[in-house]
Amino acid sequence: MTVNTTLIAPGAEAYDTALAQFDRATSILKLPTGVIEFLRLPKREYTFNFPVQMDSGETKIFTGYRVHHNIVLGPSKGGIRYSPHVNLNEVRALAMWMTWKCALMQLPYGGAKGGVVVDPHQLSARENEMLTRRFASELVPVISPHIDIPAPDMGTNSKTMAWIMDTYSMTVGYSVPAIVTGKPLNIGGSEGREEATGRGVIIIMDEALKRKGLYEPEKSRLIIQGFGNVGSHAALHAIEKGYQVVGISDVGGGVYDPNGLDIKELYTFTRSGHMLADYDQPGVEHVSNKELLELDCDVLIPAALEGQITERNAGRVKAHLIVEGANGPTTPIADEILRSRNITLVPDILANAGGVTVSYFEWVQDLQFFFWDEVEIMRQLTRILHKAYDRVVRFAEEKDVDLRTAAQAYAIDRVAQATITRGFYP
Ligand code: GLU
């Protein structure tokens, strides 16, 4: 299916954003220059060019990346993205954000990210499997349950993880479930992992609304950009809690109904292969992704790509609260505009950390061969998210900074102190 993409494609700007945020956060910390420089740069970066035989019989060469940004606190952790727009700078930015996200959540991980330059919608199921298995075999020397643990991200899912787990296991000669997280349940996946990021976004949004004294779900209207793994589970969880979702979008555009959308129907509709642009119901208006961000609502949840809220639209956002489901959806200039307009922004490394937190539970379960039930997963996830939210708010108050700067500074300081305690070798 050819779609008319109305999302702004990310580019090198994501890395500029990550570095600008880093510089702002480290400016409130007293750290040795050498340590700052060490944390600012990725530890190691891999680029792979590899062949895949397509259904036509033709051989195509694909490019893939894996960046290990930091491994001071433990093995690096982060997803693998399949997108035609993936590039090394984007992967560097995403890897860096993973380091801060894991440190903020107090998980024993560093940060990594990977990607393949490919539009997965243009691949047949066989081609997708061949590409994934070949990429996995290229990754074998640089991943392990104690070195680097991949997971799903945009364009990849539990099926992708199953192929990576199988390819790795076949290569080493025994089953290694802990090599990836976000796997299907029957090969060592965790209860609740699929929904974890979206649910986490809503758990964090609840906290933010409570602290603003505005926790009245039935009176709060949400707009969610993105209806993939993060956006869809955030929307489903939000309506379960009594919120109204008035706008939602996918790559082809969005739908808006000020009286609330039927999210369950939209979920079934899109999961049977349709785009939101094909959804036709009385009272439902079609809008572009750009328009969606500026529509009337109380909470805006960007849950798609980087670089969506910029200096071009930040002045027109109507929401009083932004909860970042995506990684890096807001540029530094937009951050400043939103701050000056008193719009509260809960940053990505806190708001979407539910995913990697349940990934951590999955890895622990796989290493111990002992599995928890969904009640336990959700109890631990909620506890960890609440504690992290509290830490960020207290740190923000103490340092008199916004939530993004507080979250990043807290996380960076944690990695910095561990670096200093360990010392540099030799
Ligand atoms: N890709 C997800 C993220 O950006 C999950 C990473 C993981 O579970 O390792 O947080």
Side-chain angles (χ1 to χ4, degrees):
M1 177 184 341
T2 321
V3 291
N4 205 349
T5 304
T6 54
L7 287 169
I8 303 159
E13 312 89 64
Y15 196 40
D16 292 340
T17 295
L19 292 175
Q21 291 171 353
F22 177 84
D23 293 341
R24 184 179 164 92
T26 47
S27 74
I28 67 160
L29 299 170
K30 288 184 190 67
L31 293 173
T33 316
V35 172
I36 293 182
E37 269 173 47
F38 171 69
L39 300 180
R40 202 172 188 271
L41 289 169
K43 173 157 189 68
R44 48 194 175 216
E45 310 178 332
Y46 304 96
T47 300
F48 312 91
N49 297 301
F50 57 92
V52 177
Q53 194 170 45
M54 310 306 282
D55 290 346
S56 63
E58 168 204 11
T59 300
K60 264 191 158 174
I61 310 298
F62 289 88
T63 301
Y65 305 103
R66 187 77 184 163
V67 172
H68 297 172
H69 172 261
N70 191 281
I71 57 164
V72 168
L73 290 171
S76 54
K77 185 85 193 81
I80 292 179
R81 173 172 292 197
Y82 286 0
S83 149
H85 308 293
V86 166
N87 57 65
L88 187 54
N89 271 331
E90 185 192 16
V91 179
R92 283 176 174 146
L94 293 162
M96 192 182 210
W97 285 324
M98 285 309 302
T99 304
W100 313 143
K101 195 186 301 186
C102 294
L104 176 64
M105 302 315 288
Q106 301 190 338
L107 307 179
Y109 289 141
K113 205 79 172 198
V116 178
V117 188
V118 62
D119 180 354
H121 304 291
Q122 304 294 328
L123 299 174
S124 70
R126 191 203 70 90
E127 288 171 339
N128 197 330
E129 178 170 353
M130 293 304 107
L131 176 135
T132 300
R133 286 185 178 276
R134 178 60 197 239
F135 183 49
S137 74
E138 302 286 343
L139 287 174
V140 167
V142 306
I143 61 173
S144 105
H146 302 290
I147 295 176
D148 176 31
I149 307 125
D153 198 77
M154 265 175 47
T156 59
N157 53 32
S158 60
K159 183 99 229 163
T160 323
M161 296 306 118
W163 290 325
I164 299 178
M165 181 271 192
D166 184 67
T167 307
Y168 186 89
S169 299
M170 295 305 289
T171 308
V172 298
Y174 53 94
S175 291
V176 190
I179 188 62
V180 286
T181 58
K183 298 175 294 294
L185 265 182
N186 66 351
I187 56 165
S190 177
E191 293 285 355
R193 174 62 186 87
E194 194 91 22
E195 307 88 333
T197 316
R199 273 179 169 254
V201 168
I202 301 305
I203 294 172
I204 288 288
M205 178 186 76
D206 282 350
E207 281 305 284
L209 288 170
K210 280 178 193 160
R211 282 172 202 252
K212 279 174 141 248
L214 295 171
Y215 182 68
E216 284 176 295
E218 53 299 326
K219 289 199 186 148
S220 298
R221 294 155 311 139
L222 276 46
I223 287 187
I224 306 179
Q225 186 196 41
F227 206 35
N229 178 264
V230 183
S232 64
H233 287 293
L236 288 167
H237 196 49
I239 56 158
E240 234 173 67
K241 289 197 155 183
Y243 290 99
Q244 269 195 25
V245 179
V246 295
I248 197 142
S249 68
D250 58 24
V251 287
V255 285
Y256 179 71
D257 183 344
N259 296 315
L261 292 161
D262 186 339
I263 292 298
K264 281 192 187 148
E265 188 177 286
L266 284 167
Y267 186 73
T268 315
F269 182 74
T270 52
R271 267 45 187 182
S272 57
H274 299 283
M275 302 296 294
L276 290 173
D278 306 326
Y279 185 74
D280 203 13
Q281 278 296 321
V284 175
E285 200 185 318
H286 286 270
V287 293
S288 70
N289 262 294
K290 225 167 130 243
E291 288 162 343
L292 185 87
L293 299 174
E294 300 175 16
L295 292 172
D296 194 33
C297 66
D298 300 296
V299 186
L300 177 62
I301 303 179
L305 279 176
E306 303 96 78
Q308 300 301 304
I309 306 177
T310 68
E311 73 264 34
R312 288 187 293 279
N313 57 11
R316 290 194 295 273
V317 166
K318 307 274 189 314
H320 63 76
L321 173 66
I322 298 178
V323 186
E324 294 186 327
N327 292 310
T330 314
T331 64
I333 302 181
D335 262 345
E336 237 167 78
I337 299 171
L338 298 170
R339 271 196 296 273
S340 72
R341 296 184 56 214
N342 272 328
I343 296 174
T344 308
L345 183 144
V346 186
D348 45 9
I349 62 167
L350 174 60
N352 71 34
V356 74
T357 303
V358 177
S359 273
Y360 165 61
F361 300 159
E362 180 174 336
W363 178 75
V364 168
Q365 293 171 85
D366 289 340
L367 291 175
Q368 299 186 338
F369 298 97
F370 180 77
F371 291 86
W372 318 347
D373 62 22
E374 199 184 342
V375 175
E376 182 62 7
I377 298 276
M378 284 306 151
R379 189 179 73 80
Q380 296 279 8
L381 173 64
T382 310
R383 181 182 66 82
I384 289 180
L385 287 172
H386 282 169
K387 276 172 71 178
Y389 192 90
D390 204 53
R391 272 200 296 279
V392 173
V393 170
R394 272 193 284 124
F395 198 74
E397 280 165 5
E398 191 188 309
K399 302 273 180 196
D400 193 22
V401 291
D402 58 283
L403 296 180
R404 185 188 315 283
T405 307
Q408 291 219 353
Y410 181 92
I412 292 167
D413 195 48
R414 199 159 175 268
V415 186
Q417 295 313 325
T419 306
I420 293 165
T421 303
R422 284 178 57 164
F424 287 116
Y425 169 87

